[in-house]
Amino acid sequence: MKKKLFPVLLSLLVSLSGPVPPGPALAGEEETLTGTWVLDENALYTSLAMQYGMNMEEARASFGEYRATYIFNADGTYLREISAARSFLHEEGTYTAEYGTVLLYSDGTVTQLTYRFERGRLLISDTEGGMVTVLIRAGY
């Protein structure tokens, strides 16, 4: 059931994000998946506010709280947690990443995502709908 809700949850989360507002460039930031990445809430709510003619507080109140965490470990394991609209996905497994594509292996399924780095942020998308989630390193 959780696996079936995830595409809907991800679509809602990402489709609401619209254009990606520019973020600050982080000097010396290494472009690697390894580490903990969290949803860039500022980018999400700024985009929603721009898209629907609201301020950020109105966007947050109207669309609720969203959370996304991706942890890519150096040993090839990952953890992904996403929550939105009273739905929650927790997924663990292994991953491989090469040439802007990351494959997530969990419970006998493979999920293909594309990724790129932009101004210190990780932009990750599903390969079917091309919807983009903007992530920042945890702690920034």
Side-chain angles (χ1 to χ4, degrees):
M1 179 68 172
K2 287 182 183 179
K3 289 268 186 191
K4 291 181 181 181
L5 285 176
F6 176 69
V8 173
L9 177 65
L10 184 60
S11 274
L12 174 63
L13 174 64
V14 179
S15 66
L16 293 175
S17 65
V20 178
L26 300 175
E29 228 4 78
E30 184 181 347
E31 291 188 341
T32 179
L33 283 178
T34 303
T36 300
W37 297 89
V38 295
L39 179 68
D40 184 344
E41 291 182 41
N42 188 47
L44 174 66
Y45 291 110
T46 298
S47 179
L48 288 171
M50 290 177 3
Q51 189 173 354
Y52 293 98
M54 307 174 173
N55 64 41
M56 283 187 56
E57 291 75 29
E58 291 170 329
R60 189 179 299 275
S62 294
F63 294 101
E65 292 293 321
Y66 295 93
R67 298 279 184 259
T69 302
Y70 287 72
I71 301 172
F72 294 103
N73 297 307
D75 67 359
T77 60
Y78 80 93
L79 173 122
R80 173 167 71 160
E81 292 185 334
I82 299 175
S83 64
R86 298 183 184 150
S87 296
F88 184 75
L89 169 81
H90 173 92
E91 180 182 279
E92 296 180 59
T94 60
Y95 76 96
T96 58
E98 190 172 56
Y99 305 114
T101 299
V102 62
L103 299 174
L104 305 177
Y105 304 92
S106 178
D107 296 328
T109 62
V110 179
T111 303
Q112 182 175 336
L113 304 171
T114 60
Y115 70 93
R116 72 180 192 276
F117 297 96
E118 185 178 289
R119 302 180 58 83
R121 299 181 299 174
L122 171 62
L123 283 63
I124 199 161
S125 347
D126 66 61
T127 54
E128 294 175 8
M131 298 178 216
V132 178
T133 301
V134 180
L135 302 163
I136 56 175
R137 284 197 184 275
Y140 287 94

